[in-house]
């Protein structure tokens, strides 16, 4: 089976050697700490390292203002538990990250979707949505979004922050892919824009993760909330798991301190860029005119739609019997889905595998078309 489905880091690109060294270091240097209960907000040592790492994203933050979480998924959950009541409205891009939709749903919130197409965000529609109801949160994945791979341009980020301030909406900026940019220039985070351009320190909760750059099995993410929200979020986390794994935090902390992350990021970016390009090239070769593709500047996902309107779920059925899989795009919609959309993850598809993956996909598409013609 060739999988274009999972949004996972490539197993061959995880720095197992560096993580092993960091693990040994943690076990030898901090035995009194790593096996013990820890602080809910996270180990100071790791929070200092994260603060230094954030400087590269243009975010200057005190370690005390960083809340370590059990993956960024937990950060989304504690935000939802803290701020959302049954029936509250949350604005989300359409399509958006499936597990965020699940979190908002579990919190009893209503997700209100706004379309983002090739022309960008329709702000007239956004205004009319906000005019009809009180919106509490706006959830955004501004860099190389899951699933669409899209990056919000600076002008849209500025307009979104201004819109959020005007309607008193709290922005949740989910940024697990921000370190994985392959082309183009860094775009300032919503967190930074709110602070620097609008002098607003209470508008954005920034969330990120070590899952895509280090190892998802560590289950470590972090959250930078406005200062006044730190303690409520910390209390919500405490009720969930007391604290994130102390051992994992020391491993990540020593790994960052070793200075290996910069080189690892260079290697990841080079490898993922070539995987992305190989998949795009294979699609152009074997599926000309079949898929309208979004080409992302980073991250892990290509987003496409069948130009002839083919139902992606029917294609998936055929694809599975030809040992290739992907995710139909419909799962990422909170409103009416585009049934012919698909998400293709390139992170685990080496350039030598891309041709075979797309050839199998092409057969599956052909079979689906034949079956449809017979009906
Ligand atoms: N947000 C987005 C947009 C994601 O794609 C993911 C992982 N698929 C997460 C959050 C959660 O990641 P983790 O909990 O591993 O940090």
């Amino acid at each position: 089976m060739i999988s274009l489905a999972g949004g996972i880091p490539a197993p061959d690109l995880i720095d197992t050697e560096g993580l092993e060294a960091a693990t040994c270091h943690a076990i030898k240097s901090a035995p009194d700490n790593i096996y013990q209960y820890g602080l809910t907000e996270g180990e100071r040592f790791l929070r200092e390292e994260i603060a230094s790492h954030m400087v590269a994203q243009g975010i200057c933050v005190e370690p005390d203002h960083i809340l370590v979480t059990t993956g960024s998924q937990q950060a989304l959950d504690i935000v939802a538990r803290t701020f959302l009541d049954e029936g509250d409205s949350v604005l989300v891009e359409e399509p958006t990250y499936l597990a965020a939709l699940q979190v908002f749903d579990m919190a009893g919130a209503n997700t209100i979707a706004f379309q983002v197409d090739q022309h960008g965000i329709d702000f007239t529609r956004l205004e009319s949505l906000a005019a009809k109801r009180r919106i509490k949160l706006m959830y955004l994945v501004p860099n190389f979004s899951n699933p669409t791979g899209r990056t919000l341009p600076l002008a849209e980020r500025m307009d979104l922050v201004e819109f959020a301030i005007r309607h008193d909406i709290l922005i949740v900026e989910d940024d697990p892919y921000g370190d994985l940019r392959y082309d183009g220039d860094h775009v300032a985070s919503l967190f930074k824009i709110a602070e620097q351009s609008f002098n607003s320190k209470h508008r954005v909760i920034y969330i990120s993760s070590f899952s895509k750059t280090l190892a998802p099995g560590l289950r470590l993410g972090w959250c930078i909330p406005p200062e006044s929200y730190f303690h409520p979020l910390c209390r919500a986390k405490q009720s969930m798991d007391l604290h994130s794994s102390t051992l994992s935090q020391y491993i990540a902390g020593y790994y960052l301190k070793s200075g290996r992350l910069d080189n690892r990021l260079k290697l990841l970016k080079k490898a993922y860029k070539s995987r992305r390009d190989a998949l795009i090239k294979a699609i152009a070769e074997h599926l000309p005119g079949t898929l309208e593709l979004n080409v992302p500047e980073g991250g892990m996902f290509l987003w496409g739609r069948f130009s002839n309107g083919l139902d992606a779920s029917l294609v998936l059925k055929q694809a599975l019997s030809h040992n290739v899989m992907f995710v139909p795009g419909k799962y990422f919609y909170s409103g009416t889905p585009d049934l012919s959309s698909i998400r293709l993850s390139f992170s685990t598809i080496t350039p030598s595998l891309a041709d075979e993956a797309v050839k199998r996909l092409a057969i599956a598409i052909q079979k689906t078309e034949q079956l449809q013609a017979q009906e």
Side-chain angles (χ1 to χ4, degrees):
M1 179 66 74
I2 302 177
S3 177
L4 297 149
I8 61 169
D12 55 310
L13 297 176
I14 290 178
D15 185 6
T16 48
E17 206 181 289
L19 286 165
E20 194 178 316
T23 306
C24 290
H25 200 109
I27 289 170
K28 284 197 187 121
S29 316
D32 294 342
N33 300 336
I34 58 166
Y35 301 122
Q36 197 44 274
Y37 281 117
L39 297 171
T40 302
E41 53 267 42
E43 296 299 317
R44 173 85 200 174
F45 171 53
L46 176 62
R47 294 161 86 206
E48 281 171 4
E49 291 298 331
I50 294 173
S52 309
H53 179 67
M54 286 314 303
V55 173
Q57 298 293 340
I59 295 180
C60 289
V61 61
E62 292 297 323
D64 286 347
H65 297 158
I66 295 170
L67 176 61
V68 175
T69 55
T70 302
S72 52
Q73 191 65 34
Q74 186 186 51
L76 295 175
D77 203 9
I78 61 177
V79 166
R81 284 175 194 234
T82 305
F83 293 103
L84 295 177
D85 295 313
E86 187 85 24
D88 278 347
S89 296
V90 179
L91 264 182
V92 298
E93 293 162 278
E94 181 89 301
T96 194
Y97 174 48
L98 170 64
L101 292 176
Q102 289 166 337
V103 162
F104 300 136
D105 189 45
M106 290 290 284
N110 296 321
T111 43
I112 316 284
F114 62 97
Q115 304 283 338
V116 186
D117 60 18
Q118 70 271 32
H119 309 297
I121 295 171
D122 178 352
F123 277 91
T124 316
R125 166 132 177 91
L126 259 193
E127 291 293 348
S128 84
L129 289 174
K132 284 191 198 121
R133 54 184 78 70
R134 159 92 180 103
I135 290 167
K136 251 205 185 148
L137 290 187
M138 174 156 56
Y139 170 74
L140 298 160
V141 186
N143 292 314
F144 331 121
S145 162
N146 180 4
T148 65
R150 186 173 188 267
T151 293
L152 292 175
L154 183 63
E156 271 184 9
R157 294 183 190 213
M158 299 281 283
D159 290 346
L160 281 168
V161 172
E162 188 274 331
F163 167 81
I165 291 172
R166 201 156 27 81
H167 293 280
D168 191 21
I169 300 169
L170 183 62
I171 296 177
V172 180
E173 177 172 28
D174 187 12
D175 190 27
Y177 303 98
D179 281 329
L180 298 175
R181 173 177 280 284
Y182 319 133
D183 305 317
D185 295 325
H186 171 77
V187 186
S189 63
L190 297 155
F191 186 93
K192 185 172 177 185
I193 291 170
E195 239 183 54
Q196 291 204 337
S197 305
F198 295 90
N199 198 22
S200 171
K201 287 183 175 261
H202 306 283
R203 196 50 54 193
V204 183
I205 298 182
Y206 179 91
I207 293 172
S208 192
S209 174
F210 288 122
S211 289
K212 312 299 175 180
T213 51
L214 255 184
L218 291 172
R219 302 310 301 131
L220 285 178
W222 66 93
C223 167
I224 309 175
E227 248 179 275
S228 56
Y229 298 149
F230 190 89
H231 290 293
L233 288 170
C234 197
R235 266 202 306 279
K237 176 175 165 59
Q238 193 165 43
S239 75
M240 290 168 80
D241 66 353
L242 298 183
H243 64 85
S244 300
S245 157
T246 319
L247 176 58
S248 284
Q249 291 185 65
Y250 271 89
I251 295 171
Y254 281 123
Y255 186 90
L256 293 187
K257 206 171 177 57
S258 75
R260 288 177 76 115
L261 186 62
D262 276 356
N263 274 342
R264 180 55 42 169
L265 284 178
K266 275 186 202 139
L267 188 149
L268 289 178
K269 289 194 230 182
K270 194 165 167 232
Y272 285 144
K273 181 183 163 81
S274 76
R275 289 177 190 198
R276 177 200 64 179
D277 293 345
L279 192 59
I280 291 172
K281 185 163 168 270
I283 289 170
E285 219 167 289
H286 303 295
L287 292 171
T290 309
L291 266 180
E292 293 156 14
L293 271 191
N294 275 6
V295 177
E297 292 181 335
M300 297 184 170
F301 308 110
L302 297 185
W303 178 254
R305 72 179 299 286
F306 294 112
S307 24
N308 61 0
L310 217 51
D311 184 331
S313 297
L314 299 179
V315 179
L316 178 62
K317 245 189 206 162
Q318 295 303 321
L320 289 172
S321 65
H322 289 88
N323 291 325
V324 62
M325 62 201 264
F326 61 85
V327 185
K330 66 177 180 185
Y331 297 112
F332 301 96
Y333 286 79
S334 66
T336 314
D338 179 346
L339 296 179
S340 58
S341 59
I342 66 171
R343 190 193 76 177
L344 301 173
S345 166
F346 53 83
S347 58
T348 58
I349 307 298
T350 54
S352 59
L353 207 59
D355 239 30
E356 182 56 29
V358 179
K359 274 186 195 160
R360 291 183 194 182
L361 202 56
I363 296 171
I365 292 167
Q366 215 175 30
K367 279 262 163 74
T368 316
E369 285 171 336
Q370 280 166 4
L371 284 173
Q372 288 216 318
Q374 284 164 16
E375 276 173 6

